[in-house]
Amino acid sequence: MKVAIYPGSFDPVTYGHIDIVKRGVALFDRVIVLVSINPAKPHCFFTLEQRLDFLARTVGKLPNVEIDSYCGLLVDYFSEKKADVIIKGLRAMSDFEAEFQQALVNKDLFHKAETVFLAADVASTFLSSSMVKQIAMFGGDISAFVPPAILHEIQAKLEEKRIKLTEN
């Protein structure tokens, strides 16, 4: 059984993330979508619980998908789960540079940690969670970027954030 881990902050989950999960499921027997708790990104808009809930509602019912969270080195989690590969989605060359560097470090830390890169779908090439948050904070329509199951919660949270920013 081939086990893949797809790590990310998923703040929030987008159609780009969902595309990578679906393609991962087609390639591997089991895909663990891992909400990584990254001290380098301490300012997530959504709580860990919200991000896990968003994933449960958007990809949690796909066959052979597990959703989890972890604070620590990805390779430690990889080893603990006896995984075979790490999945990373790539949108542009800038993604490749950072993800390739991370893949090399992971391989150096744990020699069994292989990374598979999946190119983003053309429709998702420009899409990022940061872009979705920025559009939503200024009242833009994000319905083309996130599933209906989580759309209104994302809009409400970011509208609340926008109001707080304008009050200061």
Side-chain angles (χ1 to χ4, degrees), residues 93 115 129 163:
M93 283 305 292
T115 301
S129 293
I163 290 168

Side-chain angles (χ1 to χ4, degrees), residues 12-166:
V13 63
T14 68
Y15 280 129
H17 295 126
I18 293 168
D19 175 59
I20 297 295
V21 173
K22 287 180 177 177
R23 290 167 49 208
V25 168
L27 295 170
F28 302 101
D29 300 309
R30 189 167 125 228
V31 174
I32 302 170
V33 181
L34 183 68
V35 179
S36 300
I37 302 164
N38 184 349
K41 290 185 177 181
H43 302 292
C44 287
F45 277 91
F46 298 95
T47 67
L48 173 61
E49 292 75 21
Q50 287 172 313
R51 291 179 283 150
L52 290 168
D53 178 57
F54 289 167
L55 285 166
R57 289 192 274 151
T58 57
V59 297
K61 292 185 172 96
L62 292 174
N64 306 319
V65 168
E66 178 184 331
I67 298 162
D68 201 1
S69 64
Y70 186 73
C71 182
L73 289 175
L74 177 58
V75 292
D76 292 340
Y77 185 86
F78 182 94
S79 176
E80 178 185 312
K81 293 293 183 174
K82 297 179 177 34
D84 298 286
V85 298
I86 298 164
I87 298 174
K88 298 301 275 190
L90 298 177
R91 294 169 298 195
M93 283 305 292
S94 56
D95 282 351
F96 177 77
E97 194 172 328
E99 297 297 353
F100 184 68
Q101 194 173 40
Q102 186 65 53
L104 292 176
V105 169
N106 286 337
K107 186 80 169 157
D108 190 54
L109 292 172
F110 185 66
H111 72 283
K112 292 183 182 180
E114 295 292 346
T115 301
V116 172
F117 298 105
L118 297 178
D121 181 78
V122 173
S124 301
T125 301
F126 67 92
L127 185 57
S128 70
S129 293
S130 297
M131 181 82 61
V132 168
K133 288 183 287 202
Q134 186 174 10
I135 293 167
M137 276 184 62
F138 291 106
D141 181 10
I142 59 169
S143 61
F145 311 131
V146 300
I150 61 174
L151 174 64
H152 298 296
E153 286 176 71
I154 293 169
Q155 288 173 321
K157 174 85 172 191
L158 293 169
E159 173 65 13
E160 176 186 307
K161 187 78 166 172
R162 185 185 67 77
I163 290 168
K164 285 181 183 175
L165 287 173
T166 58

